Amino acid sequence: MPAQTATLNSHQQSVLIPWALEAAGTFSVFLDGQDIDIQTITIVNDPSQRILRITGRNTVGQDTVREIDIEFADHTPAGTTFILEDTEFTSTRIWLSVKTATESYAVRGVNGTLSIQQISPQLIKVQGAAVARTDTDPNGQKHDLIINFDIRT
């Protein structure tokens, strides 16, 4: 017996495959004291996992890409401050990913805070700040991040 096919509506598609949407606004990052020029900002609202994921991307030259990912529950109340040391087994995360021609690694922000000042998951508008220190990268270094964001889709 052949399987029947059905066309999914846009809401069903977004639940099954949450799309990264181009975001507008500000996303400033200081990495180890240096201002990083974020060229693209995307945001994903994943209703099946109930999280918002913000990604800022920076490309240097032809072979270095740095991404900063911030992830937290989409039902986080405005005014919430997360202590990163206490979020190891939660949906709250900050990641720094570095990809070059010779190496690729990702390190998690394990010390510091993430503050959500304003949030509207229906319109996907979020404002916040983070100060984080990462775990050790493959070169034995820890990285300091200072992030401020006020973005919307």
Side-chain angles (χ1 to χ4, degrees):
M1 172 185 285
Q4 294 183 348
T5 60
T7 303
L8 300 176
N9 65 35
S10 61
H11 173 72
Q12 291 168 324
Q13 289 175 359
S14 71
V15 170
L16 290 174
I17 308 168
W19 300 101
L21 302 171
E22 190 83 21
T26 58
F27 192 92
S28 63
V29 176
F30 287 88
L31 173 61
D32 298 328
Q34 293 182 331
D35 186 14
I36 301 299
D37 179 33
I38 299 298
Q39 291 127 348
T40 59
I41 308 164
T42 57
I43 189 164
V44 174
N45 186 4
D46 187 339
S48 66
Q49 295 184 19
R50 298 206 58 199
I51 60 168
L52 287 175
R53 183 179 309 114
I54 303 166
T55 302
R57 185 172 188 212
N58 163 266
T59 303
V60 179
Q62 294 182 0
D63 67 347
T64 302
V65 176
R66 292 180 284 205
E67 289 183 346
I68 290 83
D69 293 296
I70 301 171
E71 191 173 291
F72 55 93
D74 66 358
H75 54 280
T76 300
T80 299
T81 297
F82 297 99
I83 307 299
L84 296 178
E85 293 92 323
D86 300 335
T87 63
E88 183 176 2
F89 300 107
T90 70
S91 61
T92 304
R93 296 178 181 92
I94 297 175
W95 292 95
L96 166 65
S97 302
V98 177
K99 298 172 189 162
T100 69
T102 58
E103 68 179 341
S104 178
Y105 64 86
V107 288
R108 183 174 176 168
V110 294
N111 299 103
T113 59
L114 169 63
S115 299
I116 306 300
Q117 285 99 27
Q118 183 181 27
I119 183 169
S120 175
Q122 295 78 17
L123 303 173
I124 311 185
K125 177 175 177 18
V126 65
Q127 177 185 19
V131 176
R133 176 159 251 210
T134 69
D135 51 6
T136 306
D137 70 16
N139 300 315
Q141 297 178 323
K142 293 183 178 190
H143 300 280
D144 294 313
L145 292 164
I146 299 172
I147 307 164
N148 290 293
F149 54 94
D150 185 359
I151 61 170
R152 67 195 175 289
T153 55

